[in-house]
Amino acid sequence: MTETHRTKMLILGSGPAGLSAAIYGARAGLEPIVVQGLQPGGQLTITTDVENYPGYRDVVQGPWLMEEMQAQADKVGTRTMFDTIVDVDISQRPFRMTGDGGTVYEGDTLVIATGAQAKWLGVEGEQELGGKGVSACATCDGFFYRGKKVVVIGGGNTAVEEALYMTNHSDDVTLIHRRDSLRSEKILQDRLFANPKITVLWNKTVEKFVGGGDPVGLVGVDLVDTQTGDKSHLATDGAFVAIGHAPATEIFKDHLDLIDGGYIEVEPGTPKTKIPGLFACGDVMDHVYRQAVTAAGTGCMAALDAERFLAEEEFELLAAE
């Protein structure tokens, strides 16, 4: 027999956005249900040192931080479900989601907080050196490379912005791009080419991230020239892969308006979608900032808007009687 769970606020995703929404929703008496999804805890669970989350003077570990958020959400009354959603129906309320085991979840409101994943090169050494010199977020990890030599890989807006950002910490930044021209906006290119701390390597791809030392960390990248096939090695202390992000919205592509490569479209400055009672927060709708603290902030906003939506609906029903 199919099991059905019903709630005033259903949340899909358990990173900083989803759990912040749950904490605020639970405190408002909405008895939220969080369906964790494929990556419980979100991207912070695969992040080691976190130094920029407010409230901690010392570096904390990403998995520990998410365990604390989960514990806080549970303590105030959140129900957490370990399930993966395979089907959604947001054509009517209550919104309805179905897990891979057949369990059904229904919510008077729905908060989508499924996040986004950085795109990776998929080359040798990338996974092994993740967090040991290889990163996909200069804003998150750039501080650890003060005064060191770094490379940024990519040619779009993200890559150029990350290279420019890294000049706040390093006087030796190299942008590696597989073509002979950038895809980024011209104003960003102008800033990049005018910055004396940045060198551009054209027509190069990374063949391998090279580790060494004790403890093992990144010591360089092996490169291949895309035109000649010539191979070379570039010594570096840090490498930032900046080839874009993929928001986790595949299951919603036929149900919601998606923009800019798959991000959920929301009303500017809010987590509200075009569907009343349905909200999106965190990296699944934010293609600009993509930080844990901003994700948590939009999760709070989603919960507050969900509570207001339900309160207004209840008031209208009472007024109509």
mmCIF file of all heavy atoms in Angstrom, residues 89-122:
data_model
loop_
_atom_site.group_PDB
_atom_site.id
_atom_site.type_symbol
_atom_site.label_atom_id
_atom_site.label_comp_id
_atom_site.label_asym_id
_atom_site.label_seq_id
_atom_site.Cartn_x
_atom_site.Cartn_y
_atom_site.Cartn_z
ATOM 1 N N ASP A 89 4.046 16.546 -9.444
ATOM 2 C CA ASP A 89 2.821 17.106 -10.012
ATOM 3 C C ASP A 89 2.565 18.432 -9.312
ATOM 4 O O ASP A 89 2.146 18.463 -8.158
ATOM 5 C CB ASP A 89 1.632 16.160 -9.811
ATOM 6 C CG ASP A 89 0.346 16.713 -10.428
ATOM 7 O OD1 ASP A 89 0.388 17.816 -11.026
ATOM 8 O OD2 ASP A 89 -0.699 16.039 -10.316
ATOM 9 N N ILE A 90 2.882 19.519 -10.022
ATOM 10 C CA ILE A 90 2.665 20.848 -9.449
ATOM 11 C C ILE A 90 1.583 21.601 -10.213
ATOM 12 O O ILE A 90 1.493 22.819 -10.166
ATOM 13 C CB ILE A 90 3.978 21.663 -9.442
ATOM 14 C CG1 ILE A 90 4.577 21.759 -10.849
ATOM 15 C CG2 ILE A 90 4.976 21.040 -8.476
ATOM 16 C CD1 ILE A 90 5.813 22.639 -10.926
ATOM 17 N N SER A 91 0.725 20.825 -10.898
ATOM 18 C CA SER A 91 -0.349 21.429 -11.683
ATOM 19 C C SER A 91 -1.508 21.866 -10.815
ATOM 20 O O SER A 91 -2.359 22.665 -11.240
ATOM 21 C CB SER A 91 -0.851 20.447 -12.748
ATOM 22 O OG SER A 91 -1.383 19.267 -12.143
ATOM 23 N N GLN A 92 -1.568 21.353 -9.594
ATOM 24 C CA GLN A 92 -2.633 21.721 -8.667
ATOM 25 C C GLN A 92 -2.135 21.534 -7.246
ATOM 26 O O GLN A 92 -1.113 20.909 -7.000
ATOM 27 C CB GLN A 92 -3.869 20.860 -8.905
ATOM 28 C CG GLN A 92 -3.599 19.372 -8.750
ATOM 29 C CD GLN A 92 -4.799 18.513 -9.087
ATOM 30 O OE1 GLN A 92 -5.911 19.011 -9.266
ATOM 31 N NE2 GLN A 92 -4.607 17.204 -9.163
ATOM 32 N N ARG A 93 -2.870 22.103 -6.305
ATOM 33 C CA ARG A 93 -2.537 21.954 -4.898
ATOM 34 C C ARG A 93 -3.472 20.951 -4.262
ATOM 35 O O ARG A 93 -4.635 20.893 -4.624
ATOM 36 C CB ARG A 93 -2.611 23.309 -4.195
ATOM 37 C CG ARG A 93 -1.547 24.275 -4.686
ATOM 38 C CD ARG A 93 -1.682 25.658 -4.051
ATOM 39 N NE ARG A 93 -1.594 25.575 -2.597
ATOM 40 C CZ ARG A 93 -2.435 26.186 -1.770
ATOM 41 N NH1 ARG A 93 -3.428 26.925 -2.259
ATOM 42 N NH2 ARG A 93 -2.291 26.092 -0.471
ATOM 43 N N PRO A 94 -3.011 20.159 -3.299
ATOM 44 C CA PRO A 94 -1.642 20.178 -2.788
ATOM 45 C C PRO A 94 -0.638 19.693 -3.825
ATOM 46 O O PRO A 94 -0.948 18.826 -4.637
ATOM 47 C CB PRO A 94 -1.706 19.233 -1.584
ATOM 48 C CG PRO A 94 -2.807 18.272 -1.936
ATOM 49 C CD PRO A 94 -3.825 19.108 -2.647
ATOM 50 N N PHE A 95 0.560 20.270 -3.790
ATOM 51 C CA PHE A 95 1.620 19.816 -4.666
ATOM 52 C C PHE A 95 1.985 18.381 -4.273
ATOM 53 O O PHE A 95 1.954 18.015 -3.095
ATOM 54 C CB PHE A 95 2.835 20.733 -4.542
ATOM 55 C CG PHE A 95 2.519 22.163 -4.870
ATOM 56 C CD1 PHE A 95 2.564 23.144 -3.879
ATOM 57 C CD2 PHE A 95 2.162 22.545 -6.157
ATOM 58 C CE1 PHE A 95 2.271 24.468 -4.166
ATOM 59 C CE2 PHE A 95 1.873 23.865 -6.464
ATOM 60 C CZ PHE A 95 1.923 24.841 -5.466
ATOM 61 N N ARG A 96 2.355 17.603 -5.269
ATOM 62 C CA ARG A 96 2.535 16.174 -5.041
ATOM 63 C C ARG A 96 3.872 15.700 -5.616
ATOM 64 O O ARG A 96 4.203 15.995 -6.775
ATOM 65 C CB ARG A 96 1.375 15.416 -5.697
ATOM 66 C CG ARG A 96 1.351 13.914 -5.477
ATOM 67 C CD ARG A 96 0.163 13.344 -6.241
ATOM 68 N NE ARG A 96 0.092 11.891 -6.165
ATOM 69 C CZ ARG A 96 -0.629 11.220 -5.288
ATOM 70 N NH1 ARG A 96 -1.365 11.865 -4.404
ATOM 71 N NH2 ARG A 96 -0.643 9.899 -5.288
ATOM 72 N N MET A 97 4.644 14.986 -4.812
ATOM 73 C CA MET A 97 5.898 14.406 -5.265
ATOM 74 C C MET A 97 5.915 12.925 -4.898
ATOM 75 O O MET A 97 5.377 12.527 -3.861
ATOM 76 C CB MET A 97 7.095 15.110 -4.624
ATOM 77 C CG MET A 97 7.171 16.608 -4.895
ATOM 78 S SD MET A 97 8.785 17.335 -4.476
ATOM 79 C CE MET A 97 8.933 16.896 -2.747
ATOM 80 N N THR A 98 6.551 12.136 -5.745
ATOM 81 C CA THR A 98 6.608 10.690 -5.520
ATOM 82 C C THR A 98 8.059 10.244 -5.452
ATOM 83 O O THR A 98 8.880 10.585 -6.313
ATOM 84 C CB THR A 98 5.897 9.937 -6.657
ATOM 85 O OG1 THR A 98 4.559 10.421 -6.785
ATOM 86 C CG2 THR A 98 5.866 8.442 -6.361
ATOM 87 N N GLY A 99 8.389 9.468 -4.394
ATOM 88 C CA GLY A 99 9.741 8.960 -4.220
ATOM 89 C C GLY A 99 9.974 7.717 -5.045
ATOM 90 O O GLY A 99 9.037 7.107 -5.582
ATOM 91 N N ASP A 100 11.247 7.302 -5.140
ATOM 92 C CA ASP A 100 11.580 6.156 -5.981
ATOM 93 C C ASP A 100 11.038 4.840 -5.434
ATOM 94 O O ASP A 100 10.978 3.844 -6.169
ATOM 95 C CB ASP A 100 13.090 6.064 -6.220
ATOM 96 C CG ASP A 100 13.886 5.918 -4.935
ATOM 97 O OD1 ASP A 100 13.282 5.815 -3.853
ATOM 98 O OD2 ASP A 100 15.129 5.921 -5.023
ATOM 99 N N GLY A 101 10.612 4.827 -4.180
ATOM 100 C CA GLY A 101 9.995 3.640 -3.617
ATOM 101 C C GLY A 101 8.477 3.685 -3.638
ATOM 102 O O GLY A 101 7.821 2.780 -3.114
ATOM 103 N N GLY A 102 7.919 4.742 -4.208
ATOM 104 C CA GLY A 102 6.471 4.878 -4.318
ATOM 105 C C GLY A 102 5.826 5.742 -3.255
ATOM 106 O O GLY A 102 4.627 6.034 -3.327
ATOM 107 N N THR A 103 6.591 6.169 -2.257
ATOM 108 C CA THR A 103 6.041 7.028 -1.209
ATOM 109 C C THR A 103 5.622 8.367 -1.808
ATOM 110 O O THR A 103 6.347 8.959 -2.614
ATOM 111 C CB THR A 103 7.070 7.259 -0.102
ATOM 112 O OG1 THR A 103 7.453 5.992 0.445
ATOM 113 C CG2 THR A 103 6.497 8.131 1.001
ATOM 114 N N VAL A 104 4.465 8.857 -1.398
ATOM 115 C CA VAL A 104 3.918 10.106 -1.917
ATOM 116 C C VAL A 104 4.025 11.186 -0.848
ATOM 117 O O VAL A 104 3.748 10.951 0.335
ATOM 118 C CB VAL A 104 2.445 9.935 -2.336
ATOM 119 C CG1 VAL A 104 1.829 11.273 -2.738
ATOM 120 C CG2 VAL A 104 2.340 8.931 -3.488
ATOM 121 N N TYR A 105 4.425 12.375 -1.285
ATOM 122 C CA TYR A 105 4.526 13.534 -0.394
ATOM 123 C C TYR A 105 3.648 14.645 -0.957
ATOM 124 O O TYR A 105 3.740 14.982 -2.145
ATOM 125 C CB TYR A 105 5.977 14.018 -0.309
ATOM 126 C CG TYR A 105 6.948 12.944 0.094
ATOM 127 C CD1 TYR A 105 7.581 12.161 -0.868
ATOM 128 C CD2 TYR A 105 7.230 12.698 1.441
ATOM 129 C CE1 TYR A 105 8.468 11.160 -0.500
ATOM 130 C CE2 TYR A 105 8.112 11.693 1.817
ATOM 131 C CZ TYR A 105 8.730 10.929 0.836
ATOM 132 O OH TYR A 105 9.602 9.939 1.196
ATOM 133 N N GLU A 106 2.803 15.206 -0.106
ATOM 134 C CA GLU A 106 1.901 16.280 -0.519
ATOM 135 C C GLU A 106 2.126 17.507 0.353
ATOM 136 O O GLU A 106 2.297 17.383 1.568
ATOM 137 C CB GLU A 106 0.437 15.838 -0.414
ATOM 138 C CG GLU A 106 0.087 14.709 -1.376
ATOM 139 C CD GLU A 106 -1.371 14.297 -1.274
ATOM 140 O OE1 GLU A 106 -2.014 14.635 -0.241
ATOM 141 O OE2 GLU A 106 -1.866 13.645 -2.203
ATOM 142 N N GLY A 107 2.135 18.672 -0.274
ATOM 143 C CA GLY A 107 2.350 19.903 0.468
ATOM 144 C C GLY A 107 1.432 21.012 0.012
ATOM 145 O O GLY A 107 1.229 21.208 -1.191
ATOM 146 N N ASP A 108 0.867 21.744 0.995
ATOM 147 C CA ASP A 108 0.068 22.920 0.649
ATOM 148 C C ASP A 108 0.946 23.980 -0.004
ATOM 149 O O ASP A 108 0.489 24.765 -0.826
ATOM 150 C CB ASP A 108 -0.600 23.488 1.899
ATOM 151 C CG ASP A 108 -1.598 22.518 2.502
ATOM 152 O OD1 ASP A 108 -2.242 21.770 1.726
ATOM 153 O OD2 ASP A 108 -1.727 22.485 3.733
ATOM 154 N N THR A 109 2.207 24.013 0.398
ATOM 155 C CA THR A 109 3.205 24.829 -0.283
ATOM 156 C C THR A 109 4.401 23.929 -0.576
ATOM 157 O O THR A 109 4.589 22.894 0.064
ATOM 158 C CB THR A 109 3.668 26.030 0.567
ATOM 159 O OG1 THR A 109 4.254 25.546 1.789
ATOM 160 C CG2 THR A 109 2.505 26.970 0.873
ATOM 161 N N LEU A 110 5.204 24.344 -1.540
ATOM 162 C CA LEU A 110 6.379 23.567 -1.922
ATOM 163 C C LEU A 110 7.576 24.505 -2.041
ATOM 164 O O LEU A 110 7.499 25.549 -2.698
ATOM 165 C CB LEU A 110 6.148 22.857 -3.255
ATOM 166 C CG LEU A 110 7.357 22.128 -3.865
ATOM 167 C CD1 LEU A 110 7.856 21.032 -2.937
ATOM 168 C CD2 LEU A 110 6.991 21.546 -5.236
ATOM 169 N N VAL A 111 8.671 24.123 -1.394
ATOM 170 C CA VAL A 111 9.926 24.868 -1.477
ATOM 171 C C VAL A 111 10.948 23.991 -2.189
ATOM 172 O O VAL A 111 11.296 22.913 -1.692
ATOM 173 C CB VAL A 111 10.443 25.268 -0.079
ATOM 174 C CG1 VAL A 111 11.808 25.952 -0.197
ATOM 175 C CG2 VAL A 111 9.442 26.181 0.624
ATOM 176 N N ILE A 112 11.415 24.451 -3.330
ATOM 177 C CA ILE A 112 12.418 23.706 -4.094
ATOM 178 C C ILE A 112 13.793 24.249 -3.732
ATOM 179 O O ILE A 112 14.082 25.426 -3.943
ATOM 180 C CB ILE A 112 12.173 23.829 -5.605
ATOM 181 C CG1 ILE A 112 10.778 23.324 -5.963
ATOM 182 C CG2 ILE A 112 13.238 23.047 -6.383
ATOM 183 C CD1 ILE A 112 10.381 23.594 -7.411
ATOM 184 N N ALA A 113 14.636 23.390 -3.180
ATOM 185 C CA ALA A 113 15.972 23.792 -2.748
ATOM 186 C C ALA A 113 16.978 22.713 -3.151
ATOM 187 O O ALA A 113 17.802 22.273 -2.346
ATOM 188 C CB ALA A 113 15.990 24.019 -1.233
ATOM 189 N N THR A 114 16.897 22.299 -4.403
ATOM 190 C CA THR A 114 17.690 21.168 -4.880
ATOM 191 C C THR A 114 19.124 21.534 -5.238
ATOM 192 O O THR A 114 19.940 20.656 -5.512
ATOM 193 C CB THR A 114 17.017 20.529 -6.105
ATOM 194 O OG1 THR A 114 16.641 21.557 -7.034
ATOM 195 C CG2 THR A 114 15.770 19.765 -5.690
ATOM 196 N N GLY A 115 19.456 22.838 -5.245
ATOM 197 C CA GLY A 115 20.834 23.258 -5.426
ATOM 198 C C GLY A 115 21.356 23.119 -6.839
ATOM 199 O O GLY A 115 20.610 22.923 -7.807
ATOM 200 N N ALA A 116 22.661 23.231 -6.963
ATOM 201 C CA ALA A 116 23.348 23.114 -8.251
ATOM 202 C C ALA A 116 24.706 22.469 -8.019
ATOM 203 O O ALA A 116 25.267 22.546 -6.929
ATOM 204 C CB ALA A 116 23.523 24.491 -8.909
ATOM 205 N N GLN A 117 25.208 21.851 -9.058
ATOM 206 C CA GLN A 117 26.509 21.202 -8.972
ATOM 207 C C GLN A 117 27.482 21.878 -9.932
ATOM 208 O O GLN A 117 27.118 22.202 -11.060
ATOM 209 C CB GLN A 117 26.390 19.720 -9.340
ATOM 210 C CG GLN A 117 25.505 18.918 -8.403
ATOM 211 C CD GLN A 117 26.122 18.761 -7.026
ATOM 212 O OE1 GLN A 117 27.337 18.747 -6.876
ATOM 213 N NE2 GLN A 117 25.282 18.629 -6.012
ATOM 214 N N ALA A 118 28.696 22.087 -9.472
ATOM 215 C CA ALA A 118 29.727 22.612 -10.355
ATOM 216 C C ALA A 118 30.035 21.591 -11.446
ATOM 217 O O ALA A 118 30.046 20.387 -11.196
ATOM 218 C CB ALA A 118 30.997 22.930 -9.568
ATOM 219 N N LYS A 119 30.272 22.085 -12.647
ATOM 220 C CA LYS A 119 30.703 21.207 -13.726
ATOM 221 C C LYS A 119 32.216 20.995 -13.609
ATOM 222 O O LYS A 119 32.959 21.930 -13.321
ATOM 223 C CB LYS A 119 30.369 21.829 -15.085
ATOM 224 C CG LYS A 119 28.879 21.974 -15.349
ATOM 225 C CD LYS A 119 28.618 22.614 -16.696
ATOM 226 C CE LYS A 119 27.129 22.780 -16.960
ATOM 227 N NZ LYS A 119 26.874 23.453 -18.269
ATOM 228 N N TRP A 120 32.629 19.764 -13.821
ATOM 229 C CA TRP A 120 34.040 19.417 -13.690
ATOM 230 C C TRP A 120 34.615 18.978 -15.027
ATOM 231 O O TRP A 120 33.878 18.643 -15.957
ATOM 232 C CB TRP A 120 34.226 18.320 -12.650
ATOM 233 C CG TRP A 120 33.835 18.756 -11.265
ATOM 234 C CD1 TRP A 120 32.627 18.564 -10.655
ATOM 235 C CD2 TRP A 120 34.639 19.484 -10.329
ATOM 236 N NE1 TRP A 120 32.632 19.129 -9.393
ATOM 237 C CE2 TRP A 120 33.853 19.688 -9.169
ATOM 238 C CE3 TRP A 120 35.941 19.970 -10.352
ATOM 239 C CZ2 TRP A 120 34.318 20.352 -8.041
ATOM 240 C CZ3 TRP A 120 36.429 20.633 -9.235
ATOM 241 C CH2 TRP A 120 35.624 20.817 -8.100
ATOM 242 N N LEU A 121 35.923 18.962 -15.113
ATOM 243 C CA LEU A 121 36.596 18.585 -16.354
ATOM 244 C C LEU A 121 36.594 17.077 -16.569
ATOM 245 O O LEU A 121 36.612 16.600 -17.697
ATOM 246 C CB LEU A 121 38.047 19.084 -16.339
ATOM 247 C CG LEU A 121 38.241 20.594 -16.259
ATOM 248 C CD1 LEU A 121 39.726 20.915 -16.095
ATOM 249 C CD2 LEU A 121 37.689 21.279 -17.498
ATOM 250 N N GLY A 122 36.614 16.319 -15.469
ATOM 251 C CA GLY A 122 36.637 14.872 -15.576
ATOM 252 C C GLY A 122 37.981 14.305 -15.976
ATOM 253 O O GLY A 122 38.058 13.250 -16.617
#
